Amino acid sequence: MNEEAPFKGFESLSELGEFGLIDQIAGLFGKGCVEDTIGIGDDCAVLPYKDGQSLLITTDMLIEDRHFRHSWISAEDLGYKSLAVNLSDISAMGGKPLYAFLSIGLPDDLTLDWVERFFRGTRELSETNGVKLLGGDTTKSPGPMVINYTVLGVMDEDSVLWRSSAKPGDQIAVLGKLGESGAGLKLLIENKSSYSSSEQAMIKSHSRPQLYVEESQFLASNSAVHAMIDLSDGIQSDAGHIAKKSGVTLQVDADRIPITSDLKQVCESYNWDSLELALSSGEDYGLLFTFDEANAGRLSDEFKQKFNIELTIIGEVKDGSPELTLLKDGDAFDIGKKGFDHFRSEKLERSDSSDPSG
């Protein structure tokens, strides 16, 4: 990028897009501002720490009516989720989360009961994962609520799972209930008075996502695993990030994408495309990673024995242009939709029934 004319050739943020904006900023500042650091361009910034370890730092923001509506999510679940999205970034690199800092802008019409329940939800997740809330900042917001966490984690410096480390010949695997969060969001938009058990499962996946903190640390400790990313924006976007950073083609077989029976049932009821949701909807917070094909059997067996979870292999890494290619029935195809982009995707409009008192 020409540092004397950053953003040249673009007329708006919507044209540039979220990830284009990140690329432009990274080009202006470089990988990091301090020697031996890795900054913009991965799930976390990585700094030298001590005794052969690296310090991981991530930050993520949730804005009312962009990421959530009060009428759609309980105070406890919002407290839980707002921390979860940051812990997921630490997990994406295989790290152990340790400390959190919260900056939050609150409208003054919130009840103290709502605020207490929000922090009880945060505490539940922090205690489960051994994370300590050490401070931050609070302020009155004249508009929507703004929640911003910064989380620090640690891991062995030789075990960091970069987006840029996928190798030709690697297998591609996923963890998580793909597409369920996207289905949960669509159900909330439907604004029904009651939901079936399968529909409730979708909404729970959206409001209180399952994390893979211990599982990610196990994967990072295994030399067969090369690259990893969390599925926050959908496979189409997130697999594309690994392809771009690693300079390889990620070839994903759509016929091997895991789709839960609950998601299939809900999609059949509403005539939704379950495969489209599994590939393009965000906020699943599962993991996508690549690993050495020669170790596929051993890694799958060890993972199943330790966590009682089956690894699902969905494709392979190939030499080629840095992009994601999708196959269905052996032929290339395009579902048309892309993953979530903050500057291109539609916002959540404020609901008339929104109740900030919780």
Side-chain angles (χ1 to χ4, degrees), residues 247-269:
V248 294
T249 296
L250 265 65
Q251 182 175 285
V252 169
D253 185 348
D255 299 309
R256 302 168 77 177
I257 297 294
I259 298 175
T260 66
S261 58
D262 280 334
L263 179 58
K264 290 179 181 178
Q265 181 176 335
V266 169
C267 287
E268 288 174 0
S269 298

Side-chain angles (χ1 to χ4, degrees), residues 274-341:
S274 60
L275 178 59
E276 178 184 295
L277 283 170
L279 287 171
S280 65
S281 64
E283 295 195 287
D284 288 317
Y285 298 108
L287 297 172
L288 181 147
F289 59 96
T290 78
F291 63 98
D292 181 12
E293 181 180 17
N295 292 280
R298 177 177 60 82
L299 181 63
S300 296
D301 290 344
E302 291 178 357
F303 196 87
K304 174 68 180 298
Q305 182 176 4
K306 186 170 180 63
F307 299 107
N308 196 30
I309 300 175
E310 297 277 0
L311 293 182
T312 304
I313 298 175
I314 62 169
E316 61 183 312
V317 180
K318 294 181 173 292
D319 280 315
S321 57
E323 63 183 2
L324 169 69
T325 62
L326 295 172
L327 300 179
K328 186 171 177 57
D329 298 324
D331 296 323
F333 89 112
D334 184 353
I335 63 171
K337 295 191 69 174
K338 304 300 181 184
F340 184 80
D341 185 306

